[in-house]
Amino acid sequence: MIKVHELAPAPGSNRGKRRVGRGIGGKGGKTAGRGTKGQGARDTIPAGFEGGQLPLTQRLPKLKGFHNPFRVSYSVVNLSAVQNLAEAGTVVIDPTILLAKGQVHKGEPVKILGNGSLTIPVTVSAHAFSEAAKQAIVSSGGTVVVLDAPNGGRRVPAKGNALTNR
């Protein structure tokens, strides 16, 4: 059985690095395998130099990540919050009521998620619903009203200084 300290490469498979440029006495003397003159014969090429082409490090973005200006960001409301509003006496729940109660952000579409339980029948209006939320609202005797997507269903206009300074 072979032991770890006995492991070694096959004889002759590993050779020492050739020491070039140490005089004309042996292999690798004078030009040391670099040919005659020219950029490749000298040691002045910086690491990452691509022959005048813009280097890869300069072509890549400086900062990590990507911000999609057309992303639709929903303000999410869980069923537990809808249940709390229903217990307080609200029968019809829509984005304006949720905004007044501080549950959503102004100007963002609203999505109802199914985290929590609903026992009181209510009418819930929002731009989007998860399947679990729809089932919970309908099973409690309430109704689901899907509102039209903002901006007529088209993508939202891009935000940013480059677009507003035109």
Side-chain angles (χ1 to χ4, degrees):
M1 182 172 190
I2 194 162
K3 297 187 172 103
V4 176
H5 68 276
E6 294 173 347
L7 288 173
S13 64
N14 282 9
R15 301 173 66 177
K17 187 179 175 187
R18 177 176 282 175
R19 298 175 71 234
V20 295
R22 300 294 188 276
I24 60 170
K27 294 276 190 182
K30 196 180 171 228
T31 55
R34 287 171 170 257
T36 310
K37 297 187 180 176
Q39 189 178 40
R42 301 180 169 95
D43 63 349
T44 56
I45 309 170
F49 183 69
E50 298 184 20
Q53 173 178 297
L54 194 67
L56 181 68
T57 52
Q58 287 182 261
R59 293 197 305 265
L60 295 176
K62 184 175 181 182
L63 301 176
K64 290 181 183 178
F66 168 75
H67 175 72
N68 183 1
F70 303 112
R71 181 178 182 273
V72 178
S73 178
Y74 287 95
S75 282
V76 296
V77 178
N78 283 312
L79 279 179
S80 54
V82 174
Q83 173 72 19
N84 292 340
L85 289 172
E87 288 172 356
T90 309
V91 180
V92 177
I93 297 171
D94 60 0
T96 56
I97 292 170
L98 293 170
L99 181 63
K101 298 290 183 180
Q103 294 288 328
V104 297
H105 297 289
K106 184 179 179 183
E108 287 187 358
V110 177
K111 183 169 185 174
I112 308 295
L113 300 180
N115 190 2
S117 61
L118 188 62
T119 56
I120 303 169
V122 289
T123 300
V124 183
S125 301
H127 300 95
F129 293 86
S130 70
E131 285 301 318
K134 274 186 188 177
Q135 290 175 357
I137 293 167
V138 172
S139 66
S140 70
T143 56
V144 172
V145 179
V146 179
L147 300 175
D148 289 336
N151 232 27
R154 296 183 305 275
R155 70 181 189 194
V156 293
K159 298 174 185 170
N161 293 337
L163 298 167
T164 56
N165 292 339
R166 289 183 179 178

